[in-house]
Amino acid sequence: MKISLGPLQYYWPKRQTLDFYETVAAMPVDIVYVGETVCSRRHELRLEDWLDVANRLIQAGKEVRVSTLTLVESESDLKALRREVNNGRFGVEANEMGAVRLLAEAKLPFVAGPTLNVFNPETLRLLAEAGATRWVMPPEAGRETLAGIRAHLPAGMETEALAFGRLPLAYSARCFTARRFNLQKDTCEFKCIDYPEGMMAKTREGQPFLVINGIQTQSAKTYNLLPDLPGLAAAGVDILRISPQPEGTAEVVAAFRGRGTLSGDFCNGFWHGQPGLEWIQA
Amino acid sequence: MPGSASLELVCPAGGLPALKAAVDNGADCVYAGFRDDTNARNFTGLNFDDAQLREGVRYAHDRGAKVLIALNTYPQADNWARWTAAVDKAADFGVDAVILADPGLMDYARRAHPELRLHLSVQGSATSYEAINFYRERFDIQRAVLPRVLSMAQVEQVVKNTPVEIEVFGFGGLCVMVEGRCALSAYATGTSPNCNGACSPGKAVRWEQTPQGVETRLAGILIDRFQEGERAGYPTICKGRFDVDDETYYAIEEPASLNTLKLLPELINVGVRAIKIEGRQRSPAYVAQVTKIWRDAIDACARDLVHFEPKAAWMADLNKVSEGQSYTLGAYNRPWK
């Protein structure tokens, strides 16, 4: 199986982001997704900067894709989307149907991202007709969903699954990081740059439960399918996606390459058709 | 030229009595679902069996109202036939449109029932005209319901750039997450709006009186705790109180309803074609009351758009049935964001 590094979910200072992708160039990953997928106000790296990162990664032998915004709201979001679609060099991961339309119109092959909600073979067939050559399973889909789709997989379609990282659980019009500081989204002071792993939200009993990351809500637990690798391979997953974290990403990649183990507060319920936060022994 | 005459009032029908209440009080359309997970309000005691739907369609059509059937969850390979059968059934019963989220199911409906009107559900997460036009080109959808995330200017931009009719939420429970993009319930309970048609299912909910107050739990997770005199909300995760950086508060959203009554003239002016009232899980009395107020308001707008002001009595009555007895303009009002 190939290993991919998913798009960066957090807002890091430009220097930190560039340094991180410098280390990624040396990591044993096959595919890297670059670009901003969570919040259009995050501008530490502009598209040109992301394309520079992409060029550097290509030189390091990686396949690179540009990932698009998940929640497109404004005309300026659409302008940014059009620039990404027409970047002229790198394939695109489409994270909403507007991107799919633009890519289909331009007759460009694309990756059907995890938020397109592909749960059945008919929908995947339609996306294949529109130009999708790879689909990323929705986070809540598990091996049963995959089995149902694999039986009717369009020719040449690759399958990618999130294998490690906090689960991206929800997206909103509101920015919850701004809300924490009683700020509005439009004047958020870019507070999320101070939280390179998001802000932990605990229950009133002190149980870590969610992570607030701008307009995105993540799981506090880290989804970890390392013990499920045999099952993933048997189910026909082609690509394992690892989500970037500020610390330890290289160790995670190494573990998925069979070198080393991982420790932490893990969950894998979705893969097994259970509540996402559960941990099922493989 | 957009005008109030073309603005449809779309009201919820969790069952036959609610459908009749909506129709009797001036709904142009009612929306309903079958009694299973093919729709996003798959709760015990809600929705329609065949006989009820036949009666409901007859009742509505006799009085000039339309019936829309929501089939807005995402089918999987192993249950696909049940969703297509639901589309067939809706068509056979003579409903006026089906409200769908899944592209595969839309393609089926378009091929099997070319005359059946297709509406894109809010569960389809389409927030831009590019996305809506994708569904238009591929499946000939006639209407799209916008997720409750856009500002008024953004709604206007969508309307201007698509021939598809736009429906927006006007009143009722406020989903602060983009519908179709929320797996919070699935994460905690294994039951998801996308696949099972239910958020925070009743079987996972627990209320408990403790020395610290009334606790509400979802799958064992403490969602909130209420002191005496505080109104305990239903434990959906997005409306719980959590601790962030040592402060305990509604980290995502307070329990409040959406109420856009005072935006009605603006919604009409930008060319919105339909207003949706949320609440298929609410009582027929609720549906009757809310429908009547919105009917009166839309008619008042039709008479005099420029001088329209929501009556104080309307707002007071709507507040009484709102979550937490308070309301918000949601994302239409930019500062909310």
Side-chain angles (χ1 to χ4, degrees), chain A residues 70-75 78 81-82 95-102 104-105 115-117 119-123 125-127 129-130 139-140 144-149 152 167-176 178-186 195 199-205 207 209-210 212 215 217-221 267 270 273-278, chain B residues 74-78 80 102-105 107 111 123-125 127-135 137-139 148-151 154 157-158 161 176-184 186-196 215 217 220-227 230 237 241-254 331 334-337:
Chain A
T70 302
L71 176 54
V72 171
E73 294 179 274
S74 66
E75 196 60 40
L78 283 174
L81 179 61
R82 291 187 187 108
N95 286 319
E96 47 77 57
M97 286 298 182
V100 171
R101 179 179 192 249
L102 296 173
E105 210 169 43
T115 43
L116 291 186
N117 279 344
F119 286 101
N120 61 68
E122 286 298 303
T123 292
R125 174 183 64 77
L126 290 161
L127 287 170
E129 286 171 17
E140 64 177 294
E144 291 296 321
T145 306
L146 175 55
I149 289 184
H152 309 275
L167 287 160
L169 292 174
Y171 298 83
S172 175
R174 286 200 106 154
C175 175
F176 307 124
R179 180 176 168 83
R180 172 63 186 82
F181 298 98
N182 296 315
L183 296 168
Q184 291 165 15
K185 184 181 173 188
D186 288 348
Y195 299 90
M199 302 184 83
M200 183 65 72
K202 297 178 181 172
T203 69
R204 298 173 79 171
E205 291 173 316
Q207 175 190 1
F209 181 38
L210 302 171
I212 286 167
I215 67 152
T217 308
Q218 302 181 330
S219 61
K221 289 184 180 181
C267 63
F270 281 146
Q274 300 296 316
L277 52 66
E278 289 190 5
Chain B
Y74 291 89
Q76 310 221 2
D78 64 351
W80 173 256
D102 183 64
L105 198 62
D107 188 54
R111 284 186 285 110
Q123 288 284 120
S125 321
T127 53
S128 75
Y129 58 83
E130 293 287 3
I132 290 166
N133 287 337
F134 173 82
Y135 293 99
E137 287 157 6
R138 306 269 158 166
F139 315 113
R148 286 159 270 192
V149 297
L150 300 183
S151 66
Q154 289 165 350
Q157 189 67 12
V158 170
N161 287 282
V176 290
M177 300 306 184
V178 185
E179 291 93 335
R181 297 258 177 78
C182 181
L184 287 173
Y187 179 65
T189 72
T191 297
S192 88
N194 276 344
C195 299
N196 315 101
E215 293 183 347
R217 287 177 189 271
I221 298 155
L222 183 64
I223 302 299
D224 208 349
R225 181 185 286 150
F226 301 87
Q227 302 310 312
E230 277 189 308
I237 291 168
R241 272 184 285 201
F242 301 105
D243 183 284
V244 184
D245 249 5
D246 296 325
E247 191 181 323
T248 301
Y249 65 110
Y250 292 107
I252 295 173
E253 171 69 349
E254 290 91 0
R334 201 66 191 172
W336 182 77
K337 305 176 89 178

Side-chain angles (χ1 to χ4, degrees), chain A residues 269-281:
Chain A
F270 281 146
W271 174 249
H272 296 275
Q274 300 296 316
L277 52 66
E278 289 190 5
W279 177 251
I280 312 292
Q281 288 292 341

Side-chain angles (χ1 to χ4, degrees), chain B residues 4 295-305 308-309 311 314:
Chain B
S4 58
R295 177 78 274 155
D296 288 350
I298 290 172
D299 291 347
C301 255
R303 285 192 300 274
D304 187 356
L305 187 77
F308 174 83
E309 276 288 333
K311 288 184 189 166
W314 293 341

Side-chain angles (χ1 to χ4, degrees), chain A residues 150-170:
Chain A
R150 285 297 296 192
H152 309 275
L153 200 68
M157 182 69 68
E158 292 179 300
T159 300
E160 179 165 340
L162 178 65
F164 192 93
R166 287 200 175 120
L167 287 160
L169 292 174

Side-chain angles (χ1 to χ4, degrees), chain B residues 148-334:
Chain B
R148 286 159 270 192
V149 297
L150 300 183
S151 66
M152 189 63 83
Q154 289 165 350
V155 172
E156 183 172 17
Q157 189 67 12
V158 170
V159 173
K160 274 187 183 158
N161 287 282
T162 179
V164 174
E165 294 174 11
I166 296 301
E167 178 174 320
V168 300
F169 278 83
F171 184 82
L174 179 66
C175 218
V176 290
M177 300 306 184
V178 185
E179 291 93 335
R181 297 258 177 78
C182 181
L184 287 173
S185 174
Y187 179 65
T189 72
T191 297
S192 88
N194 276 344
C195 299
N196 315 101
C199 168
S200 304
K203 64 179 191 299
V205 168
R206 221 168 67 222
W207 277 273
E208 239 173 36
Q209 181 71 54
T210 75
Q212 287 85 36
V214 174
E215 293 183 347
T216 55
R217 287 177 189 271
L218 184 66
I221 298 155
L222 183 64
I223 302 299
D224 208 349
R225 181 185 286 150
F226 301 87
Q227 302 310 312
E228 204 164 316
E230 277 189 308
R231 229 170 84 102
Y234 192 81
T236 56
I237 291 168
C238 57
K239 295 186 182 159
R241 272 184 285 201
F242 301 105
D243 183 284
V244 184
D245 249 5
D246 296 325
E247 191 181 323
T248 301
Y249 65 110
Y250 292 107
I252 295 173
E253 171 69 349
E254 290 91 0
S257 288
L258 178 72
N259 182 0
T260 65
L261 201 60
K262 71 174 168 196
L263 300 178
L264 197 48
E266 269 187 89
L267 290 166
I268 290 167
N269 275 332
V270 302
V272 165
R273 291 292 300 279
I275 299 271
K276 185 178 221 103
I277 307 297
E278 189 274 349
R280 277 194 282 154
Q281 71 281 28
R282 306 294 294 260
S283 71
Y286 167 93
V287 171
Q289 183 176 18
V290 175
T291 302
K292 182 160 192 333
I293 292 169
W294 277 82
R295 177 78 274 155
D296 288 350
I298 290 172
D299 291 347
C301 255
R303 285 192 300 274
D304 187 356
L305 187 77
V306 179
H307 298 104
F308 174 83
E309 276 288 333
K311 288 184 189 166
W314 293 341
M315 295 301 275
D317 285 347
L318 289 176
N319 263 356
K320 271 185 224 154
V321 295
S322 292
E323 195 176 351
Q325 277 96 52
S326 61
Y327 73 91
T328 165
L329 290 171
Y332 299 110
N333 187 25
R334 201 66 191 172

